[in-house]
Amino acid sequence: AQDLANLGYPVTIFEALPVAGGMLRVGVPEYRLPAEIIDREVADILDLGIELRLNTMVEDLDEVFDEGFDAVLIAVGAHEGIRLPIPGADLDGVLINTRFLRDVRLGNLPPLGEKVLVLGGGNVAIDCARTAVRLGAEVHLACLESRQGMPCHPWEADAAEEEGVTIHPDRSFLRIVADENGRAAGVECAKVAHFEFDHEGRLSVETEPGSEHLLEADTVIFSVGQRAGLAFIPDDAGVGITRQRTIAINPNTMAATRP
């Protein structure tokens, strides 16, 4: 938006959230990105003459063009967390990374209990773990990769451990177990001997025989990746979607399939 405005184009930003800053504000923890910095950045953008429409859902691209806009830039980000297809994934007490971070940032604190287990080893998983620490929980993090092979920045994992997060590397997740009330009580895991992804991105995991064990938790947070939220684009909008649920584009121009 800033680049387009600097080139002299009149720009309008449509934002579905009631607060300016979008996923910067609700997807990044306060300890990492304080609200006053976001406010300053938003003010700099609006000072360029950009119009901002909050609480605005876009569900019909034809209506946008009919309103007089000549071009639409889809920049919704990958803010839909992924829930692994394992038994117990839908139990009470099982949360998704992006929703958890959003709710905490908006002040809608979920009940975590005393012990939280984050599944995943990326930077967002670390964000979830360090946020849960700040909410007073005992926090554990389990991931498929080795400690040295975690996809997060090494200093992020170090900082999490310094704050009391216990990291359990080389874990495959078999199922989420329930207590007598049907609420999550932990994750049954197995030690990973080897894993790899094929050319289509499919995961193959080899585990150590007899290594099954339980990591107890009152709350389990999935943080195994994100994908773009493209449900607002109907099938007849003329915007192609790939098998990987991304927008189909011309790699030379970055243009979508609709003019």
Side-chain angles (χ1 to χ4, degrees), residues 31-154:
Y31 76 85
R32 185 189 298 282
L33 184 59
E36 58 266 22
I37 294 179
I38 299 176
D39 293 338
R40 186 182 66 205
E41 294 288 333
V42 171
D44 289 343
I45 293 172
L46 298 184
D47 286 345
L48 295 173
I50 294 173
E51 177 190 6
L52 174 62
R53 301 186 191 180
L54 301 175
N55 282 319
T56 302
M57 291 291 294
V58 175
E59 298 175 318
D60 189 334
L61 291 178
D62 290 331
E63 290 183 359
V64 176
F65 285 110
D66 289 343
E67 194 173 334
F69 292 98
D70 299 305
V72 173
L73 173 65
I74 300 176
V76 295
H79 58 84
E80 287 191 358
I82 296 173
R83 190 186 300 265
L84 290 177
I86 60 176
D90 294 317
L91 288 171
D92 287 341
V94 179
L95 307 179
I96 301 296
N97 53 1
T98 52
R99 298 179 193 172
F100 169 67
L101 294 173
R102 178 195 63 193
D103 288 346
V104 171
R105 199 74 194 256
L106 294 177
N108 305 319
L109 303 182
L112 297 180
E114 296 181 359
K115 184 179 291 188
V116 171
L117 175 61
V118 179
L119 304 182
N123 285 323
V124 179
I126 297 292
D127 282 349
C128 290
R130 297 179 69 184
T131 297
V133 166
R134 284 158 174 76
L135 296 176
E138 174 189 335
V139 181
H140 294 249
L141 182 147
C143 61
L144 187 67
E145 301 83 6
S146 67
R147 176 63 175 81
Q148 294 74 26
M150 291 174 65
C152 66
H153 298 308

